[in-house]
Amino acid sequence: MVPTRRQLLASGAAAATIAPLSRARAQANTVKIGVLTDMSGTYRDNTGPTSVACTKEAVVEFGASHGFAVEVLDADHQNKPDVGANIARQWYDQGVDLILDVPTSSVGLAVNQIAKEKNKAYINSGSATADLTGPQCGPTTIHWTYDTYMLAKSTGGAMVRAGGDTWYFITADYAFGHALERDTAAFVRAAGGRILGGVRTPFPGTSDFSSFLLQAQAARPKVIGLANAGGDTANCVKQAAEFGTTRGGIKLAALLLFLNDIHGIGLQTAKGLICTETFYWTRDDKTRAWTQRIAARTPNNYPNMIHAGCYSATLHFLKTVADMGVAAAKASGVDLVNRMKARPSEDDLFGRCDIRADGRRLMPSYLLEVKSPQESTGPWDYYKLLQTTPANEAFRPLSEGGCPLVRG
Amino acid sequence: MDEIFGIPAPLLFGQLLLGLINGAFYAMLSLGLAVIFGLLNIINFTHGAQFMMGAFVAWMLLAWAGVGYWGALILAPLIVGATGVVIERLMISRLYKLDHLYGLLLTFGIGLIVEGVFRNYFGSSGLPYRIPDALQGAWDLGFMFLPIYRGWVVVFSLVICLATWLVIEKTRLGAYLRAATENAPLVQAFGVNVPRMITLTYGAGVALAALAGVLAAPIYSVNPQMGTNLIIIVFAVVVIGGMGSILGSVLTGFGLGVVEGMTKVFWPEASSTVIFVIMAIVLLTRPAGLFGRA
């Protein structure tokens, strides 16, 4: 018998209702982690596929014996807040339990709002803006790896101590650059230094910084603060070398610089720069062993602090879910995040780290100097440690952030 | 110290010079686009990717084959130009009878694919490429510190632009090319192999983009996005100068480089927008462009 069109429609409709039911049953016992990151733009190597690889490594190491399955999704937010917000909304609606990474502060802040609105967990490893645990802090958000305040205190503070008391800023013209400039300027002023001026460069889309460097030079500061990241910082450092910006004793402060940026600049040009990370892979045997496991997944890109943060955050999230049960974890993002804050995270990369009420995870920060080609002993061996700031001093004090969660 | 508009004169001169340097890149890239558009009527959106390929091929030649900058200056345009010839033969040649839009979509798509492939293999942080030893160092001009390499870029690209213009406007080959644009069947009837000429023209336009890429490699980090950042501006340059006008695109390239450089002093935040504002004004007042024929 040939089915009529009506019968076909009816059976189709029936199938359509059965399928979601069975899918829903499978979903109830599957925890989903969405890595929302930059897969195609300037921050791809600093975050991107290596963040995804680290998340997956954590899932593998966590193991499958906890009575629930774990699925890792990834998407490219193209460094655009509207694109990132759309994906976040869609993911949370489709049952994603945690959104992770989210570099680019403007996107990081946009997703923060959506996590709050949807009552879902959000761990940011990739963005720098300290506003995530300040005025814009949320009950569903943890800021995992670093922030502008900690960078400013470590790198900015070190430059001022070394005698750099007059500054000029080259700042990427968006949320991150503004926050980094603001936090660094505060440290410089507090130490008795002066800010001589600054220039805001369009982001994204600026590749020639020579003109801005020339303006900075004309102001005759002792330090030029680069409040930018990724390829922008790399281009600034290269072009500063080319134009002899540092000839007259002016020092460059790359306020945010990752291992991967140094790889792109080359040690010959980057040597002697100082920067700050909360993780560097050559720190001890455990971090080296872990890095070799990650390098097997992404051989052309070694992990920086953001990547290590994605690994560490995933482990802590999964432990907490195993602890409170999948159903309870899915029911409320606020409860889940409160449970995550209630116990310290613990892993081979960062050790034991407390998470504060405002969502700030606390860990030591490392002031690092880029090695010269002669000092480097192998591939990706770029850092020597200058100084460690302990966890309780590295980040902004709880009372100064202005986070409503703390006041209320 | 003398001041002009409240800006110290040395700083202003420095910015003028930097504007010229950036203008040199705009000019070389828009030149290739203008040649291709003028003779093939194709809006080549792959141009940015081909610029990037030029830089990458230079890097590959050095890292994998030990061929230095000077060799790359000749080889990279030839290699990338050859890929252009293949693309023209296999794909673009099928679109000549269709609307411009199809060529635009095809070349845009090819550009995206090429960039994606490079990003997949080389990441986005970029690769270092050293300035050749002969061009290391800088001149102290008093008002600024000019890296010798940047000076070389300006001079070299001026020579290339002039040479291209001479070939097209003053030689027999150029006359054939121009005639073929006006009336291809007639030129073919005189025994000139027009399809082959068009293929080689596309290859030459692509080679110009690759040449600019080699020039850019020591300045910018060699990364897959390097063309994307530039190509939009270069299209604006071509539109302002007048589609297909070779001299127009060269003059506009240098001119807009200077305008952009000045904007970086007076209103840095607007420096990425100023060229598009000019484009809008030009389109409203002279739709064919400053040097175009209506």
Side-chain angles (χ1 to χ4, degrees):
Chain A
M1 185 192 90
V2 181
T4 65
R5 195 189 295 192
R6 187 175 293 270
Q7 281 167 322
L8 264 180
L9 273 176
S11 57
T17 47
I18 294 165
L21 272 180
S22 54
R23 213 183 300 145
R25 214 170 295 135
Q27 267 196 355
N29 216 20
T30 301
V31 171
K32 285 190 188 175
I33 302 172
V35 184
L36 183 58
T37 189
D38 175 6
M39 298 296 263
S40 59
T42 179
Y43 302 148
R44 176 187 150 105
D45 287 353
N46 293 335
T47 61
T50 310
S51 288
V52 179
C54 289
T55 307
K56 288 184 172 162
E57 175 68 22
V59 171
V60 170
E61 288 181 22
F62 179 70
S65 59
H66 301 271
F68 59 89
V70 184
E71 190 183 334
V72 177
L73 311 171
D74 61 80
D76 183 4
H77 64 39
Q78 300 167 30
N79 297 323
K80 293 176 183 152
D82 51 335
V83 175
N86 270 334
I87 298 171
R89 211 176 277 282
Q90 200 183 341
W91 267 356
Y92 281 144
D93 286 344
Q94 290 170 353
V96 167
D97 303 294
L98 168 73
I99 290 183
L100 181 62
D101 202 11
V102 202
T104 313
S105 293
S106 46
V107 190
L109 289 168
V111 173
N112 185 44
Q113 290 303 322
I114 291 163
K116 213 186 298 185
E117 179 190 316
K118 301 273 180 192
N119 189 13
K120 291 280 192 178
Y122 169 42
I123 300 182
N124 188 302
S125 182
S127 287
T129 178
D131 287 358
L132 274 173
T133 54
Q136 303 218 36
C137 76
T140 49
T141 300
I142 299 178
H143 200 187
W144 199 260
T145 309
Y146 72 111
D147 66 25
T148 48
Y149 182 97
M150 152 272 184
L151 295 169
K153 179 165 185 174
S154 177
T155 310
M159 297 304 280
V160 177
R161 275 197 304 279
D165 55 3
T166 51
W167 283 60
Y168 189 96
F169 285 100
I170 294 180
T171 303
D173 194 12
Y174 75 109
F176 151 71
H178 300 169
L180 190 50
E181 182 189 325
R182 176 197 67 205
D183 291 346
T184 311
F187 274 104
V188 173
R189 288 202 187 94
R194 274 187 311 133
I195 309 299
L196 302 181
V199 60
R200 298 207 156 159
T201 66
F203 174 90
T206 305
S207 51
D208 183 62
F209 289 90
S210 47
S211 162
F212 304 122
L213 286 164
L214 211 64
Q215 292 180 47
Q217 222 172 329
R220 302 184 188 285
K222 287 187 184 160
V223 178
I224 297 177
L226 305 178
N228 48 22
D232 290 354
T233 312
N235 273 330
C236 276
V237 172
K238 279 180 94 161
Q239 290 164 15
E242 194 192 343
F243 279 85
T245 308
T246 48
R247 246 185 346 151
I250 299 177
K251 288 204 172 69
L252 284 185
L255 296 167
L256 178 54
L257 188 73
F258 296 101
L259 185 72
N260 324 77
D261 300 325
I262 296 161
H263 189 70
I265 300 169
L267 286 187
Q268 190 58 44
T269 310
K271 68 178 176 206
L273 280 177
I274 64 168
C275 63
T276 302
E277 296 209 44
T278 53
F279 165 89
Y280 62 103
W281 73 274
T282 49
R283 190 164 73 92
D284 61 27
D285 289 343
K286 285 179 182 169
T287 55
R288 284 172 186 274
W290 175 81
T291 300
Q292 294 313 326
R293 296 203 292 277
I294 297 301
R297 290 174 182 264
T298 57
N300 295 323
N301 198 42
Y302 272 46
N304 60 30
M305 61 175 166
I306 293 178
H307 301 132
C310 286
Y311 167 87
S312 146
T314 305
L315 273 188
H316 187 62
F317 165 76
L318 291 175
K319 283 179 197 165
T320 311
V321 171
D323 213 33
M324 69 190 288
V326 175
K330 281 182 179 289
S332 160
V334 175
D335 288 351
L336 174 60
V337 167
N338 280 338
R339 287 285 285 261
M340 278 196 267
K341 287 177 182 171
R343 59 191 251 179
S345 72
E346 197 162 5
D347 53 68
D348 285 351
L349 309 185
F350 296 93
R352 231 175 125 84
C353 303
D354 287 324
I355 302 166
R356 262 180 354 202
D358 60 354
R360 178 69 260 160
R361 189 175 75 126
L362 303 173
M363 72 221 92
S365 68
Y366 304 110
L367 184 70
L368 305 157
E369 185 180 322
V370 179
K371 288 183 172 178
S372 69
Q374 293 77 31
E375 290 170 307
S376 172
T377 56
W380 294 87
D381 174 31
Y382 298 155
Y383 285 144
K384 55 187 174 200
L385 179 66
L386 292 183
Q387 189 193 323
T388 305
T389 310
N392 56 356
E393 291 171 23
F395 291 89
R396 181 175 57 202
L398 190 60
S399 55
E400 290 174 21
C403 164
L405 286 176
V406 178
R407 266 182 280 158
Chain B
M1 197 186 289
D2 290 330
E3 292 199 348
I4 303 169
F5 305 124
I7 306 280
L11 184 57
L12 209 59
F13 288 137
Q15 299 297 348
L16 265 174
L17 200 59
L18 289 176
L20 276 181
I21 296 169
N22 284 338
F25 282 108
Y26 297 159
M28 279 196 71
L29 284 170
S30 55
L31 179 67
L33 277 178
V35 168
I36 292 172
F37 182 79
L39 299 168
L40 281 75
N41 260 334
I42 287 282
I43 303 171
N44 184 35
F45 255 91
T46 321
H47 221 66
Q50 282 150 343
F51 164 77
M52 176 271 287
M53 281 169 78
F56 265 97
V57 170
W59 179 86
M60 290 173 196
L61 283 170
L62 184 66
W64 298 345
V67 178
Y69 178 82
W70 303 106
L73 215 47
I74 297 165
L75 284 178
L78 287 178
I79 294 169
V80 180
T83 66
V85 166
V86 173
I87 290 173
E88 197 277 343
R89 273 295 84 199
L90 290 181
M91 292 181 261
I92 298 175
S93 60
R94 295 162 202 276
L95 300 178
Y96 291 136
K97 294 196 175 65
L98 299 173
D99 191 77
H100 286 332
L101 202 56
Y102 290 89
L104 188 152
L105 285 174
L106 174 73
T107 52
F108 187 56
I110 296 173
L112 287 180
I113 293 170
V114 169
E115 281 182 16
V117 168
F118 275 83
R119 196 180 294 126
N120 204 35
Y121 285 102
F122 297 99
S124 64
S125 290
L127 302 160
Y129 192 91
R130 265 172 65 80
I131 293 174
D133 287 334
L135 301 174
Q136 288 277 0
W139 290 305
D140 202 337
L141 302 182
F143 60 90
M144 76 172 287
F145 193 68
L146 177 71
I148 294 173
Y149 186 79
R150 300 258 178 166
W152 153 255
V153 167
V154 175
V155 174
F156 186 72
S157 61
L158 270 175
V159 169
I160 292 289
C161 289
L162 195 67
T164 311
W165 179 77
L166 282 175
V167 166
I168 290 181
E169 297 293 332
K170 303 288 174 198
T171 65
R172 180 171 283 268
L173 177 68
Y176 284 157
L177 284 170
R178 280 176 292 131
T181 355
E182 295 289 331
N183 191 336
L186 195 64
V187 176
Q188 196 142 21
F190 283 121
V192 177
N193 186 343
V194 172
R196 191 178 67 193
M197 202 161 72
I198 286 182
T199 306
L200 291 178
T201 305
Y202 184 77
V206 171
L208 277 175
L211 188 60
V214 180
L215 285 179
I219 298 185
Y220 305 118
S221 77
V222 178
N223 69 56
Q225 304 86 263
M226 65 191 289
T228 329
N229 291 342
L230 220 52
I231 197 64
I232 312 268
I233 295 178
V234 172
F235 267 101
V237 170
V238 175
V239 171
I240 294 169
M243 272 293 198
S245 160
I246 287 164
L247 200 58
S249 62
V250 173
L251 291 177
T252 321
F254 279 101
L256 287 180
V258 171
V259 169
E260 195 191 42
M262 289 295 110
T263 316
K264 283 177 176 170
V265 182
F266 292 105
W267 190 10
E269 291 91 333
S271 59
S272 61
T273 334
V274 64
I275 287 182
F276 302 102
V277 174
I278 296 176
M279 181 177 88
I281 295 170
V282 168
L283 284 178
L284 284 174
T285 52
R286 282 184 66 105
L290 292 178
F291 299 87
R293 285 161 298 176

